[in-house]
Amino acid sequence: MSKAPDMPPKKRTLPTPQWAHGQCRCGAVRFEIMVPALWAWHDHSEATRATTGAASMAWVGSWKKRFRLVEGEDELTRYEEPGVARSFCRRCGTPLFYERERSRHVINIPRALFKTRVGREPRYHAGLKEMPDWAYLGEPLAPLKGYPGIMIERKRKKRREIVP
């Protein structure tokens, strides 16, 4: 029986790669990731809150080799802390990229900067212990009378105790 010739290992690639496009608020920085993204999650941590000014942020992670900066490299500015680097658009201030020393091959991007699907939905939550007590937790909402498009938390009706 003859031995089969040595075949190089198959490289896993998509027949035609799909890309999700994103940009900062002013459009000076444009980028794209190959979909599906590596992961997606909601971050409730104090660090994200201090960086974004929001109660939480949904992030999308991508392998750096599946990420491309299309335009605006000169418009990027960085803020670095031990083990972490955050990039912003210097024109409009949009938080753009979050990189960790522990995960050198991954870049994280705010989910809201993509207009199309990225192949992952943010179903994970990080930093829940750091979530502020004022964050919205999905309580029932009702329209605020006289203010179209504004919703208000419904007051919960107090239960009356039945006295025998």
Side-chain angles (χ1 to χ4, degrees), residues 92-121:
C92 65
T94 300
L96 294 168
F97 313 124
Y98 169 67
E99 300 168 81
R100 296 173 65 159
E101 197 174 285
R102 286 187 347 204
S103 306
R104 287 189 171 105
H105 302 294
V106 175
I107 188 165
N108 301 293
I109 306 162
R111 172 63 182 92
L113 301 183
F114 295 95
K115 291 185 179 178
T116 60
R117 294 188 175 273
V118 296
R120 298 273 187 251
E121 296 301 321

Side-chain angles (χ1 to χ4, degrees), residues 126-139:
L128 285 172
K129 290 182 178 178
E130 299 174 50
M131 186 169 48
D133 60 358
W134 49 264
Y136 174 66
L137 298 174
E139 297 88 353

Side-chain angles (χ1 to χ4, degrees), residues 26-90:
C26 71
V29 179
R30 294 185 311 113
F31 50 87
E32 52 193 16
I33 63 168
M34 192 183 298
V35 296
L38 179 60
W39 59 56
W41 78 98
H42 296 280
D43 185 354
H44 305 273
S45 70
E46 189 279 330
T48 289
R49 204 166 36 260
T51 302
T52 65
S56 65
M57 179 179 284
W59 292 94
V60 171
S62 174
W63 294 111
K64 286 185 179 178
K65 65 184 177 184
R66 295 171 54 118
F67 165 84
R68 295 194 289 218
L69 184 60
V70 176
E71 191 175 320
E73 186 172 357
D74 294 343
E75 303 300 336
L76 292 175
T77 188
R78 284 170 72 91
Y79 174 73
E80 296 185 16
E81 298 176 294
V84 174
R86 297 177 186 272
S87 298
F88 303 84
C89 173
R90 72 175 183 87

